[in-house]
Amino acid sequence: MDRRSFVASTGALLTLPIAGCVDGDTMDPNDDTDSDTSSQREMHSRIEPEPTDDTEPLVYDVSIVSESTVDSPLTIDVSLTNTSEEAITYGERRTALFWNPGSEGRFSLYPTDAVAERYEYDDGIWWLPDGFATTMDYQTATLEPDATHTETLALLHGPVDDADELRSLPSNLYFAAEFAYSADEDETLPNGTPVTWGFSLQLDQE
């Protein structure tokens, strides 16, 4: 499988195609190109729009932290900033910061602090053999004015019975989060102002 770079393309529930990419295209699962000898190009982050008007006064930012190599998976930072002059509480906290929201295919985003040392590398794919479980409680977090919460996430293939079942990375991965926020101390979440926001990760075809 060609080990190509990702472009992080963000927007309010839209997927922005890049030259050479078509939304929803997937890579050939039978592609047996030697990933260790294929050329690896630098990764680039593209964020559109900035800020995302539909989420204000909360503003998202997404950036690539490190590219996928034989030593570590692709990691990204998702940041959420309060641009208002009031403290804002949001929830569900993990959902808002894109913990394991799922995506097309079998790839998802996982908080690196929770999965470090648990993922494995097989035939060019980083994956999580034992799966990932979270508690069922509804978690909230509070952002003070101008404060930012950031989560570092790893892109990993989910569990399969055998490593031979691992799928190749598709040319486009889309992630979305739905949550609510409130600046009213008397308002109990999940009541509040609803927010839906998403971004796509696309292979750089240049």
Side-chain angles (χ1 to χ4, degrees), residues 49-73:
E50 183 181 11
T52 305
D53 294 339
D54 289 347
T55 68
E56 290 182 341
L58 296 176
V59 174
Y60 270 108
D61 186 30
V62 178
S63 61
I64 293 176
V65 176
S66 62
E67 59 186 286
S68 177
T69 69
V70 296
D71 297 316
S72 62

Side-chain angles (χ1 to χ4, degrees), residues 23 36 39 50 64 67 75 79 87 95 107 126 128 131 135 153 161 164 177 193 206:
D23 289 355
D36 291 331
S39 61
E50 183 181 11
I64 293 176
E67 59 186 286
T75 57
S79 298
T95 299
F107 291 87
W126 284 98
L128 200 61
T135 58
L153 304 152
D161 293 332
D164 291 338
T193 303
E206 293 180 0

Side-chain angles (χ1 to χ4, degrees), residues 54-55 58 60 177-181 193-197:
D54 289 347
T55 68
L58 296 176
Y60 270 108
E178 296 183 7
F179 64 101
Y181 73 88
T193 303
V195 173
T196 302
W197 191 83

Side-chain angles (χ1 to χ4, degrees), residues 84-95:
S84 75
E85 297 180 355
E86 299 178 287
I88 288 178
T89 299
Y90 65 93
E92 205 278 339
R93 178 190 67 83
R94 294 163 293 189
T95 299

Side-chain angles (χ1 to χ4, degrees), residues 9-195:
S9 168
T10 65
L13 286 180
L14 56 87
T15 302
L16 301 173
I18 298 174
C21 285
V22 178
D23 289 355
D25 274 4
T26 57
M27 295 173 62
D28 183 355
N30 297 315
D31 183 359
D32 59 359
T33 304
D34 186 348
S35 62
D36 291 331
T37 59
S38 298
S39 61
Q40 173 119 16
R41 289 174 290 178
E42 292 183 358
M43 293 184 180
H44 305 281
S45 177
R46 188 179 75 175
I47 302 169
E48 283 189 29
E50 183 181 11
T52 305
D53 294 339
D54 289 347
T55 68
E56 290 182 341
L58 296 176
V59 174
Y60 270 108
D61 186 30
V62 178
S63 61
I64 293 176
V65 176
S66 62
E67 59 186 286
S68 177
T69 69
V70 296
D71 297 316
S72 62
L74 181 146
T75 57
I76 68 171
D77 272 350
V78 175
S79 298
L80 188 61
T81 299
N82 176 10
T83 63
S84 75
E85 297 180 355
E86 299 178 287
I88 288 178
T89 299
Y90 65 93
E92 205 278 339
R93 178 190 67 83
R94 294 163 293 189
T95 299
L97 294 176
F98 286 83
W99 279 42
N100 195 23
S103 64
E104 66 178 81
R106 296 180 179 178
F107 291 87
S108 295
L109 296 171
Y110 300 86
T112 54
D113 288 345
V115 298
E117 310 301 329
R118 293 175 51 194
Y119 41 70
E120 296 181 5
Y121 183 78
D122 283 287
D123 194 25
I125 300 295
W126 284 98
W127 67 299
L128 200 61
D130 298 327
F132 181 73
T134 60
T135 58
M136 298 299 293
D137 56 317
Y138 186 92
Q139 296 186 7
T140 63
T142 299
L143 276 167
E144 298 298 328
D146 296 322
T148 298
H149 289 170
T150 299
E151 190 74 62
T152 301
L153 304 152
L155 178 66
L156 303 171
H157 195 296
V160 291
D161 293 332
D162 189 279
D164 291 338
E165 300 176 19
L166 293 170
R167 296 183 178 183
S168 299
L169 282 164
S171 60
N172 177 69
L173 287 167
Y174 180 71
F175 301 94
E178 296 183 7
F179 64 101
Y181 73 88
S182 176
D184 185 348
E185 295 181 355
D186 296 326
E187 190 169 38
T188 302
L189 295 175
N191 297 322
T193 303
V195 173

